[in-house]
Amino acid sequence: MKAIQLNEYGGPEVMKVVDLETPSPGEKEVLIKIEAIGVNYADTARREGQYVIDTPLPFVPGAEVAGTIVETGSEVKRFKQGDKIVTLLGTSRATGYAEYTVADERGLIPVPAGVDLHHAVAMPLQGLSAYHVLKTMGRLEEGETVLIHAAAGGVGSIAVQLAKLFGAGKIIATASTEEKRQAALSLGADEAVDYTMEGWEKEVLNLTEGKGVDVALEMAGGDIFRKTLSCMAPFGRLVIYGVASGEQAKLYPSSLMGQNLSVIGFFLPQMMRKKELYTQSLHELLAFLSEGKLQLTIGGVYPLEKAPEVHRMLQGRETKGKLILVP
């Protein structure tokens, strides 16, 4: 089978098309013919060797796939050949940037009727991330103000809509271009700010009449983190779910005390270990999707061999919505 593999850490150019043996499923696993692959910042972090957990080499990136089951292990009970599924890959023997992969039956999600695979593949990672960053970690309450960075991106565009569905009083979105800011406004944001401009944090404070925001979703790191922290209201919760800039930020814990601020880290694989949270939130997301309450923006669909180009675009902030690779 064709796959994208990296044998060293580095820029997009380290990803190469290779021929690998098609994996065979274990007793409780299925073999999936991949038809859609979600591209995420986590993939770029693994490529650079900067992920939260170690990335062993050689490595096939990609955690989010949708496709058709073509073979089942002897102990698989809930699924059969021909079923359309979507899943997050964990310790599978092959990962997502490939024509085939194996996955544990317990992590498989049936794709609802009427939902195409390009939309379904946005749900396991970006949908669940947006949900739990807002609700579980950010503890967003009805009427509160939320700040969402990269609001036209995969997680951000879903988070804007979920914040509205969860009853946020005001949603302030940030994005780097006018087109992206307009996209965020069309999804339900009340205000849109250019975070590439000097002093954007003062604009956020002005939009809240100096009160600050109750919840902030931050995934850039560096200077963006520092300025976001200055936008927080008393008792505010700043949730970190990435470091897209690759630049870590310094935090002095005593600086949180004056306003009772919280800085909270979020890592989806930990959330997946809490089955009750995982299943309940996924059912809620799929219901929003099937009822037309959640609109997914497909930013582009590209052949698998274009993975290096897609990574360059993603990290260059040239995209909006969900980016998909197709074998």
Side-chain angles (χ1 to χ4, degrees), residues 125-153:
L125 199 155
Q126 293 179 334
L128 286 172
S129 292
Y131 182 104
H132 289 295
V133 168
L134 279 169
K135 198 166 190 178
T136 308
M137 310 307 295
R139 306 187 307 279
L140 178 66
E141 296 182 6
E142 191 169 343
E144 288 190 320
T145 298
V146 58
L147 173 64
I148 300 173
H149 287 302

Side-chain angles (χ1 to χ4, degrees), residues 25 35 52 67 84 114 121 123 126 171 173 188 191 220 251 258 279 283 299:
E35 297 172 58
V52 177
K84 298 288 185 180
V121 84
M123 283 292 98
Q126 293 179 334
I171 302 168
E191 306 285 354
L251 172 65
T279 55
H283 282 305

Side-chain angles (χ1 to χ4, degrees), residues 233-251:
F235 297 93
R237 289 85 70 198
L238 193 165
V239 186
I240 304 167
Y241 67 99
V243 190
S245 69
E247 180 185 353
Q248 295 289 344
K250 290 183 178 179
L251 172 65

Side-chain angles (χ1 to χ4, degrees), residues 96-256:
Y97 286 18
E99 293 181 306
Y100 294 89
T101 193
V102 292
D104 192 304
E105 175 190 24
R106 291 170 295 181
L108 303 180
I109 304 156
V111 176
V115 176
D116 68 59
L117 294 182
H118 288 176
H119 286 82
V121 84
M123 283 292 98
L125 199 155
Q126 293 179 334
L128 286 172
S129 292
Y131 182 104
H132 289 295
V133 168
L134 279 169
K135 198 166 190 178
T136 308
M137 310 307 295
R139 306 187 307 279
L140 178 66
E141 296 182 6
E142 191 169 343
E144 288 190 320
T145 298
V146 58
L147 173 64
I148 300 173
H149 287 302
V155 174
S157 60
I158 297 174
V160 167
Q161 298 173 78
L162 289 179
K164 183 71 72 175
L165 290 169
F166 294 158
K170 177 176 282 189
I171 302 168
I172 302 174
T174 78
S176 58
T177 69
E178 179 61 25
E179 181 185 7
K180 291 181 180 181
R181 292 190 290 277
Q182 288 300 320
L185 291 169
S186 72
L187 291 172
D190 300 292
E191 306 285 354
V193 174
D194 182 356
Y195 68 93
T196 68
M197 297 294 290
E198 188 66 32
W200 63 263
E201 71 277 16
K202 296 177 183 177
E203 185 176 351
V204 170
L205 285 172
N206 288 336
L207 291 171
T208 63
E209 299 179 348
K211 297 175 183 177
V213 301
D214 300 295
V215 179
L217 279 54
E218 206 287 288
M219 42 66 69
D223 195 49
I224 298 293
F225 169 84
R226 181 180 62 81
K227 291 182 176 180
T228 301
L229 194 58
S230 73
C231 297
M232 304 305 297
F235 297 93
R237 289 85 70 198
L238 193 165
V239 186
I240 304 167
Y241 67 99
V243 190
S245 69
E247 180 185 353
Q248 295 289 344
K250 290 183 178 179
L251 172 65
Y252 297 94
S254 60
S255 67
L256 306 176

Side-chain angles (χ1 to χ4, degrees), residues 1-7 16-20 60 99:
M1 69 175 187
K2 297 292 183 184
I4 296 289
Q5 182 173 276
L6 51 113
N7 295 306
K16 307 294 184 183
V17 179
V18 297
D19 285 306
L20 298 177
V60 177
E99 293 181 306

